[in-house]
Amino acid sequence: MACPVKHLQLHLILLFALWDVCSMINSGMLFPRESSSREIKELNGLWSFRADLSPNRNLGFEQAEPIITTSLLSQPNSDPLIYNDITQDPKLRDFIGWVWYDREVVVPSRWVADKNIRVVLRVGSAHYYSVVWVNGVKVTEHHGGHLPFEAEIGGVLRGDPTAPCRITIAVNNTLTLQTLPPGNIQYLNDPARYPKGYFVQNTYFDFFNYAGIHRSVLLYTTPQTYVNDITVVTDFADGAIAYDVAVSGSASSNASLKVTLTDGRGRCVATATGPKGVLKVVDATLWWPYLMHERPGFLYNMEVCLQVAGARGEVLEDRYTLPVGIRTVKVTSTQFLINNKPFYFHGVNKHEDSDIRGKGFDWPLVVKDFNLMKWLGANSFRTSHYPYDEEILHMCDRHGIVVIDESPGVGIRDIRSFGNASLAHHLDVMGELVTRDKNHPSVVMWSVANEPASEMPPAGLYFETVIAHTKALDPTRPVTYVTNSNYARDKGAPFVDVICVNSYLSWYHDPGALEVISLQLNTQFEEWYGKYKKPIIQSEYGADVVPGLHSDPPVMFSEEYQVMVLRSYHEVFDQKRKQYVIGELIWNFADFMTAQGVTRVVGNKKGIFTRQRQPKAGAYTLRERYWRIANETGLLPPWTKYPCSQLRSP
Ligand code: GCB
């Protein structure tokens, strides 16, 4: 008979081992939250804005650095922070180069007067390379969109407490072969065909390269000695939460820490002291995915209270509360297990994309998308092809929507993008991503790239390195990348935990030939599984639809054709999910904007919803299927039981 005490000890030893490695990444990027010791001031709304249209695109720096004069901004537009789709000026929509944002902010005088307060400026994401000044003093710069960056600005503000706080952010959307995603600028020098200095930006991905500031800019405060980072690793078997708190600031070595875990009703269920420890929850309520349990997305609140003695003997405190879900993730050769139960991904690929806002964060859109995913019976999505706003991950935690969290490593297709500079940057980006998202129970797997040229000779070492690095940062989650290479030539596949394959049978291959799907998809799965003996997710499949276009017999771009493609794929999924296929993610949740091109009719139309989030016929096909799968598992909570017979395409 198994000894329960031994069993418990084993789990804890394992947790501690993991947690020691996790402490490697304790450099901190906690989501800003208000508490009795922390305040937030959001800086959303209108900023002064100007694109640098000068011939060398450098006038802003020539005139402005180090002090930003108002001359560059003398005729400021008052624009929201994403500029591409709000302008009537085509030069601005497709602008490449530096744009400048500028704003004067009222900072509470207490924040400046009280030297025990740290004032932090945080940019949720700006695409691609950003430089930030406060009152003309450069405070930070950052390479890469889709991830946050911040700077402590209290020192600058205190330099001249009478000065207003002027924040200037310059953002450049130029991509190079070493950026993530990669791109390159091509000068077209034929004077008979192009004006002098004419250039284009080539990219190797299929979404519009929305530029500017995509997410919240805010100021927040902490005390000078503060909770800089928290890492949690949980174990469902014994309700254990191993935590590791990183403290920063001058008095950090004298800090005392108390950690309190409360349940949904605010009842204390466990406490611990010290920067590292284990909280044990008796009869823990686990975190479960949507449609897998009657109580999906259960979260505890873990409050960290840090105390240090002030100069006059007073107690200085910092408090930070982290939502925590208790769950485990494991991969076998045929299954994906959440809390040791098989999980089948029936979900979508998304984009942060909508009319006018482009990639700008928008709460009503986020809520609508969650309502649609739940309507659809989707239990998961991939953050194709970059990290999404943290608020979206919080929604996933709360609603039990499972996430494959993807880096911006999309379109690594030029051999020069496999060099050392690219690799070093990719490792940094994975560090930033894992640091930001490591505590989300909804995040169950990292995807380091989408459709790289993984058959190229350097791809093997490149992906071995990126994947090993990601696993070292987070030993608790599987790591993958999404491939469309041939199974026999893919050099990175030996290093992934789950094979994620994209294929567009009867679309990009054998267009119009629906009859080949079954045979070719079977072959695809058998070849990948035969070679690697790893579980497989169909990470993309689909077909473009011009909404309202009908045709019988079905032809490409009609609603009927998309339905037929989906059904043909589904038949094969149904055979293979009994074996080793562990998921299917439709491409795409909604139509989205792309660069202009001859295959794109105002964007990519493979959405099952339009860009305005109205269902196409394919949405009903998928809805019927996803609810049927959810019903089959027998784990569907009674309140969600859906009579499949009543779900019918219109
Ligand atoms: C893909 C890409 C995705 C594209 C899609 C398409 O393989 O991963 O970004 O949008 O195909 O529709 O071409």
Side-chain angles (χ1 to χ4, degrees), residues 205-207 351 382 384-385 410 450-451 482 484 502-504 507-508 540 544 587-588 592 594 600 604-606:
F205 51 83
D206 179 44
F207 51 89
H351 263 303
R382 170 167 68 121
S384 44
H385 295 305
V410 53
N450 180 70
E451 295 189 355
V482 171
N484 65 343
N502 295 347
S503 62
Y504 287 91
W507 193 261
Y508 294 124
E540 285 182 29
D544 286 76
W587 190 264
N588 189 287
F592 58 90
T594 62
R600 297 290 177 251
N604 186 308
K605 296 276 189 273
K606 292 195 187 67

Side-chain angles (χ1 to χ4, degrees), residues 217-248:
V217 181
L218 49 85
L219 295 176
Y220 72 90
T221 66
T222 74
Q224 290 292 358
T225 300
Y226 62 100
V227 174
N228 181 12
D229 197 14
I230 305 172
T231 305
V232 293
V233 176
T234 65
D235 187 357
F236 84 92
D238 44 25
I241 302 171
Y243 70 86
D244 183 355
V245 179
V247 177
S248 292

Side-chain angles (χ1 to χ4, degrees), residues 396-411:
C396 291
D397 291 343
R398 278 182 235 128
H399 291 268
I401 300 291
V402 167
V403 177
I404 300 172
D405 203 351
E406 188 157 279
S407 88
V410 53

Side-chain angles (χ1 to χ4, degrees), residues 21 46 129 159 234 315 415 417 428 440-441 477 486 557 605 623:
V21 190
L46 300 179
Y129 170 50
T234 65
V315 175
I415 196 148
S417 298
D428 285 349
H440 287 284
R477 288 178 178 88
N486 177 277
F557 294 99
K605 296 276 189 273
R623 183 181 191 225

Side-chain angles (χ1 to χ4, degrees), residues 376 541 566 570 586 608 618-626:
L376 194 65
Y541 70 105
L566 266 52
H570 297 165
I586 186 76
I608 51 162
Y620 293 97
T621 305
L622 217 56
R623 183 181 191 225
E624 206 170 306
R625 172 174 178 77
Y626 283 180

